[in-house]
Amino acid sequence: MQFSSTETYVAPPDLAMAVNAAITLERPLLVKGEPGTGKTELARQVAASLDLPIVEWNVKSTTRAQQGLYEYDAVSRLRDSQLGEARVHDIANYIRKGKLWQAFEAPGKVVLLIDEIDKADIEFPNDLLQELDRMEFHVYETGEMVQARHRPVVIITSNNEKELPDAFLRRCFFHYIRFPDAETLKRIVEVHYPGLKHRILDEALSQFLELREVQGLKKKPSTSELLDWLKLILAEDLSPEDLKRPAGEMLPKLHGALLKNEQDVALFERLAFMARRQR
């Protein structure tokens, strides 16, 4: 099982190596990087490349580790007992399987995505240590031991909003997705917009990379935002000349696709004002 770039996803050699190393070691792959660099999409593309189903667990701030294993619906059982339902005598009827259970009981190998693990409570990763390590867990209500039929390919993403516990990190293969260089960005754009004229792409990339280098940005635009911006440029049928900024202007055309908060827009307006004063 070897992962490489797909028709819709450009994987740099170091990223492909990290995925394949994690598969060989049978360790979870922990992927960090700026938001919008394709961490979540990586798991979907790994599944597509290896022709495997994918089970996605999207973590929220309120998510508990137990929910990934199973949940016991005591309220429904109590209600059914009051109504005299026959199913109340089998507690298994009230066990709701979580995403890990679904991945463990799958008839074949799957890709298990645990997305944005750093959104949850700090204890969340620690609570999954044994389950991800041993690929099994105990259902206390039924006495059942759930074991993975086939060890899934586990991909865990993080936006680096919280430090993850050392014990958890020790069990993972780690990779940081660096922001793509200009040549890789061109390959990514070619995948999404094949045949885009070189002059338009060169002008757009030049402005995009220049914008990312501005000091003081609260949120640098990502690959995802570049693709959105190019989509608007194509929809508006803008030429390279249309993209060029007038003297004294610093904000690119259709900048709302690139800058996502008022502080960054105000920063560019201040820089433009200062530049005009110095002329």
Side-chain angles (χ1 to χ4, degrees):
M1 299 177 69
Q2 288 288 308
F3 169 71
S4 59
S5 295
T6 68
E7 291 182 359
T8 57
Y9 191 88
V10 176
D14 60 335
L15 177 56
M17 182 278 293
V19 172
N20 291 320
I23 293 172
T24 300
L25 293 172
E26 296 188 327
R27 295 275 189 178
L29 173 63
L30 174 61
V31 183
K32 291 187 179 182
E34 292 180 31
T37 49
K39 299 184 296 296
T40 302
E41 186 61 23
L42 169 66
R44 295 168 183 156
Q45 294 299 324
V46 169
S49 174
L50 303 180
D51 196 23
L52 298 175
I54 184 169
V55 176
E56 297 191 25
W57 186 12
N58 300 302
V59 177
K60 298 179 173 61
S61 59
T62 55
T63 303
R64 295 175 292 106
Q66 180 65 32
Q67 292 172 305
L69 308 180
Y70 69 92
E71 290 185 280
Y72 169 49
D73 190 354
V75 174
S76 291
R77 193 180 187 204
L78 175 61
R79 184 181 64 245
D80 286 351
S81 69
Q82 293 169 339
L83 295 174
E85 296 282 351
R87 67 195 300 265
V88 76
H89 300 293
D90 186 357
I91 197 170
N93 290 324
Y94 303 93
I95 300 294
R96 295 176 180 173
K97 297 177 181 179
K99 296 297 185 178
L100 264 71
W101 193 332
Q102 293 172 30
F104 285 6
E105 74 171 3
K109 203 173 189 69
V110 302
V111 172
L112 171 61
L113 168 64
I114 303 176
D115 199 25
E116 298 191 324
I117 194 170
D118 52 330
K119 276 187 175 179
D121 184 84
I122 190 62
E123 290 303 317
F124 181 92
N126 278 335
D127 292 342
L128 291 176
L129 285 180
Q130 296 301 320
E131 289 77 9
L132 290 177
D133 201 23
R134 297 181 181 177
M135 287 289 150
E136 64 180 24
F137 62 89
H138 185 254
V139 182
Y140 295 99
E141 289 77 5
T142 63
E144 179 184 2
M145 179 63 77
V146 178
Q147 295 178 312
R149 296 184 187 177
H150 305 271
R151 194 176 188 97
V153 177
V154 182
I155 297 178
I156 302 169
T157 72
S158 168
N159 286 326
N160 227 6
E161 293 179 5
K162 285 189 190 127
E163 287 295 322
L164 298 174
D166 289 344
F168 179 79
L169 295 174
R170 219 168 31 242
R171 288 166 168 81
C172 298
F173 189 94
F174 172 76
H175 184 76
Y176 184 87
I177 299 182
R178 290 190 292 271
F179 193 81
D181 59 23
E183 287 307 310
T184 304
L185 282 174
K186 286 182 179 180
R187 289 173 57 205
I188 292 171
V189 171
E190 179 63 26
V191 163
H192 291 270
Y193 304 112
L196 182 66
K197 292 179 181 178
H198 292 300
R199 288 181 59 229
I200 294 178
L201 177 57
D202 289 344
E203 179 63 32
L205 272 185
S206 173
Q207 291 193 30
F208 174 77
L209 293 172
E210 186 180 308
L211 187 151
R212 276 185 55 88
E213 292 300 315
V214 172
Q215 296 297 313
L217 277 180
K218 185 175 181 181
K219 184 193 177 306
K220 293 183 178 182
S222 66
T223 311
S224 173
E225 279 128 4
L226 169 63
L227 294 174
D228 286 346
W229 188 45
L230 287 170
K231 184 176 182 179
L232 285 175
I233 289 170
L234 291 172
E236 296 290 329
D237 197 23
L238 299 181
S239 68
E241 288 70 30
D242 294 329
L243 286 181
K244 291 186 183 297
R245 290 165 293 189
E249 288 292 326
M250 301 206 58
L251 284 169
K253 293 279 179 66
L254 304 169
H255 63 268
L258 298 173
L259 300 175
K260 298 301 177 74
N261 60 68
E262 64 276 14
Q263 294 98 317
D264 288 344
V265 174
L267 170 64
F268 275 85
E269 289 172 345
R270 287 197 303 273
L271 291 172
F273 176 74
M274 292 168 61
R276 285 194 294 269
R277 288 189 62 181
Q278 291 173 0
R279 286 168 52 192

